Amino acid sequence: MDSHLRGIVFLLLVVGSLTEDPPPKHMDNFIKAVETIEADNLGLGPLAVVIGLRKAAGIETTFIQNYFGSLSDDSPTNSLVIKPELIRLLNSMIKHEVSELGVEEGVVLTADGITVALTPLLLGLEAGLRSTSPSRVRGLYPLSLTNNLVRSFLHHSRGDSSSSSSRLGPGGCWDNVKDPRVFTLSGVASLATDAQVTGGMDGVILGKRMAEINKHPLPLSSLLKRYYNHRLGAAGLDAAPGLISQLRRTNFRKLVNLPLLERQLMRSLSTVQKLEKYFKRQKVEKKKLEEILNQGLDEFVHSYMDCPAIIPRCMWEAKPYRGTPTQLTLPLSFLYIHHTYGPSQPCLSFQECSRDMRSMQRFHQDDRGWDDIGYSFVTGSDGYLYEGRGWHWRGAHTKGHNSIGYGVSFIGDYTSSIPGKRTMDLVRHQLAKCATDRGRLVSNFTIHGHRQVVNTSCPGDAFYAEIQGWKHFGEVKK
């Protein structure tokens, strides 16, 4: 172990049980805890803080020790003090587990509406901070991401999990978006839930960044604030800094490619087999193992790299569907582009976009008498799509054509302007690829503006002129 790491000892001052409930499980509250620790331990760098957080939460396995050594190896030349009132908070926020009732612990809600597991995030940061070379960060991918992926793929292939579970996911819902306390999964948990994968992707991105600036590292709280709490200006994502959580999938795609992920999966598999007796006893042919990993990797790339992140209905606090939805017969042949007109301004945050979604749903249900918000999906200018009727239920977006296409609306009035490039790319590239790759849209699908098939000015003159240059745009056959 590097000499600058030695001498970190952790004095966890537990003087009795806490009398107050811990704060909501929000990233902002975790960052506040980190700020308190930094203020109480002036002079200790971010690596000491990260290791202290891991020790406070009891995060140590043989797999982690293979890369970092044992937490008990450090000699007592410095002290990291963590106040007693933070111990319960750190345990509840960092230590990951899923209960029999599907409650996922060790996850927090971020300002942009995404749920992140903290353990893989912190392990990625620790790998980056321990690194002596930005080009080779030992343990970065295995500790942040690929260990969980390998375990989940193998677990699924053995049939240990329910037939209703998948290799990855699922996501879930918070009991209260404004006061998040309990996160419940929407299905049977894999060994790599959405929150773990998302935390792992952030761990890779931020761990790599910390390795690059290792000689002058930012305080941990400052890094987390910049990444998770950036507020978009009027120019939106196109003018935003590159290293923010809203651009997670874009940044991850820049860092990795398929051959790199394949190599990292095999390295994690080899380490797991070497360290753990259970996996040593599993006799699986090499060809079968490669098949298992390739199938899992295909699902990972599709779900987390090709597809855009979609905020589920429960997160924007949708009201229930009224009546019985009609299931679509897939694949569909059309993608209909809309603008909302009202709300007239682009939404630039999870809070704004969620508010606009609720407003549209009220208008569609109460004023128009529809069963639900009419659109299949809605595009915010905050970097996310929002689930309306979704992939499987017929919408009420394009009269006479709802059963043959998805309706995707962009929040804002685009009569004289167009959405930002990154916002448009969420639909024209990512959503389109996501839909065609899994048989939701035919490969030769057609894009139409709403006005082409209904007597309306939607999606606005400027935006309609823009989409005429998109691949798959087509004139209406008469």
Side-chain angles (χ1 to χ4, degrees), residues 336-380:
Y336 298 107
I337 303 298
H338 301 249
H339 73 161
T340 61
Y341 187 71
S344 61
Q345 296 301 312
C347 61
L348 296 169
S349 70
F350 169 65
Q351 291 75 20
E352 290 177 2
C353 295
S354 296
R355 181 195 63 210
D356 288 347
M357 291 296 291
R358 294 192 296 271
S359 175
M360 283 186 283
Q361 188 186 41
R362 282 194 301 270
F363 175 65
H364 288 177
Q365 287 185 323
D366 298 341
D367 293 10
R368 297 236 170 133
W370 298 347
D371 294 335
D372 198 1
I373 189 170
Y375 306 117
S376 307
F377 299 98
V378 178
T379 313

Side-chain angles (χ1 to χ4, degrees), residues 1 4-6 8-10 12 45-59 68 70-72 74 80 82 94 122 125-127 129-130 220:
M1 183 178 294
H4 74 280
L5 297 180
R6 296 191 179 278
I8 302 173
V9 68
F10 309 94
L12 304 180
L47 178 58
V49 174
V50 170
I51 296 173
L53 292 169
R54 182 159 66 87
K55 184 162 187 178
I59 309 300
F68 294 159
S70 173
L71 285 170
S72 61
D74 301 301
L80 184 73
I82 300 181
I94 298 174
L122 292 173
L125 286 166
E126 186 172 342
L129 288 163
R130 287 179 181 268
L220 179 59

Side-chain angles (χ1 to χ4, degrees), residues 390-406:
W391 292 116
H392 300 290
W393 307 115
R394 188 176 71 194
H397 46 78
T398 312
K399 189 173 182 180
H401 299 75
N402 293 311
S403 63
I404 59 174
Y406 292 113

Side-chain angles (χ1 to χ4, degrees), residues 24 87 97 179 190 266 346 381 422 451:
I87 301 301
E97 61 182 3
D179 183 35
S190 72
M266 292 306 298
S381 292
R422 281 175 165 162
R451 65 172 63 185

Side-chain angles (χ1 to χ4, degrees), residues 204-221:
V204 169
I205 294 165
L206 294 179
K208 187 74 172 175
R209 177 60 177 160
M210 292 306 260
E212 292 169 351
I213 60 172
N214 204 315
K215 291 184 179 179
H216 306 284
L218 291 170
L220 179 59
S221 61

Side-chain angles (χ1 to χ4, degrees), residues 49-91:
V49 174
V50 170
I51 296 173
L53 292 169
R54 182 159 66 87
K55 184 162 187 178
I59 309 300
E60 185 169 33
T61 65
T62 55
F63 191 89
I64 297 172
Q65 289 174 347
N66 183 66
Y67 295 95
F68 294 159
S70 173
L71 285 170
S72 61
D73 288 345
D74 301 301
S75 55
T77 58
N78 294 305
S79 295
L80 184 73
V81 178
I82 300 181
K83 291 179 178 177
E85 59 266 27
L86 294 181
I87 301 301
R88 182 179 173 189
L89 172 66
L90 294 175
N91 272 282

Side-chain angles (χ1 to χ4, degrees), residues 84-346:
E85 59 266 27
L86 294 181
I87 301 301
R88 182 179 173 189
L89 172 66
L90 294 175
N91 272 282
S92 66
M93 284 191 168
I94 298 174
K95 195 163 189 176
H96 187 270
E97 61 182 3
V98 178
S99 75
E100 292 183 359
L101 297 177
V103 173
E104 187 171 14
E105 301 285 357
V107 300
V108 295
L109 177 63
T110 64
D112 58 346
I114 301 299
T115 300
V116 174
L118 287 176
T119 292
L121 167 64
L122 292 173
L123 289 174
L125 286 166
E126 186 172 342
L129 288 163
R130 287 179 181 268
S131 173
T132 57
S133 168
S135 60
R136 185 177 180 275
V137 185
R138 186 171 185 268
L140 177 63
Y141 287 91
L143 291 165
S144 297
L145 187 64
T146 54
N147 178 39
N148 284 336
L149 294 183
V150 163
R151 291 171 184 276
S152 190
F153 299 161
L154 292 176
H155 181 70
H156 182 271
S157 71
R158 292 196 304 269
D160 293 349
S161 55
S162 167
S163 59
S164 63
S165 69
S166 65
R167 298 177 186 88
L168 297 167
C173 299
W174 286 95
D175 55 335
N176 187 319
V177 175
K178 297 178 182 64
D179 183 35
R181 304 279 177 168
V182 180
F183 186 72
T184 305
L185 295 173
S186 58
V188 178
S190 72
L191 296 185
T193 64
D194 278 359
Q196 285 179 290
V197 172
T198 303
M201 292 168 70
D202 287 348
V204 169
I205 294 165
L206 294 179
K208 187 74 172 175
R209 177 60 177 160
M210 292 306 260
E212 292 169 351
I213 60 172
N214 204 315
K215 291 184 179 179
H216 306 284
L218 291 170
L220 179 59
S221 61
S222 298
L223 177 75
L224 296 176
K225 280 183 182 178
R226 291 186 187 187
Y227 187 73
Y228 289 109
N229 289 349
H230 177 78
R231 293 186 178 183
L232 297 174
L237 281 173
D238 291 349
L243 199 69
I244 58 175
S245 58
Q246 295 96 318
L247 297 176
R248 171 184 297 108
R249 297 192 181 202
T250 298
N251 286 325
F252 191 78
R253 285 193 298 270
K254 288 179 181 178
L255 278 178
V256 304
N257 52 42
L258 195 58
L260 171 63
L261 284 174
E262 289 173 341
R263 291 195 302 272
Q264 292 294 341
L265 282 174
M266 292 306 298
R267 288 174 184 172
S268 288
L269 173 63
S270 176
T271 303
V272 168
Q273 290 175 321
K274 178 181 72 175
L275 294 175
E276 300 189 23
K277 294 179 180 179
Y278 179 84
F279 286 97
K280 287 179 183 178
R281 295 196 298 267
Q282 304 305 301
K283 302 297 182 182
V284 183
E285 294 180 0
K286 182 179 179 182
K287 185 176 180 180
K288 179 62 176 175
L289 276 175
E290 291 177 351
E291 179 184 342
I292 292 169
L293 294 187
N294 286 335
Q295 288 174 347
L297 184 57
D298 177 68
E299 185 176 333
F300 171 80
V301 170
H302 169 76
S303 298
Y304 300 99
M305 295 177 68
D306 291 341
C307 290
I310 299 174
I311 303 294
R313 291 171 62 89
C314 63
M315 289 302 299
W316 60 265
E317 299 176 281
K319 296 292 185 183
Y321 189 97
R322 295 176 179 174
T324 304
T326 301
Q327 189 159 2
L328 291 164
T329 301
L330 305 181
L332 306 183
S333 298
F334 295 91
L335 187 63
Y336 298 107
I337 303 298
H338 301 249
H339 73 161
T340 61
Y341 187 71
S344 61
Q345 296 301 312

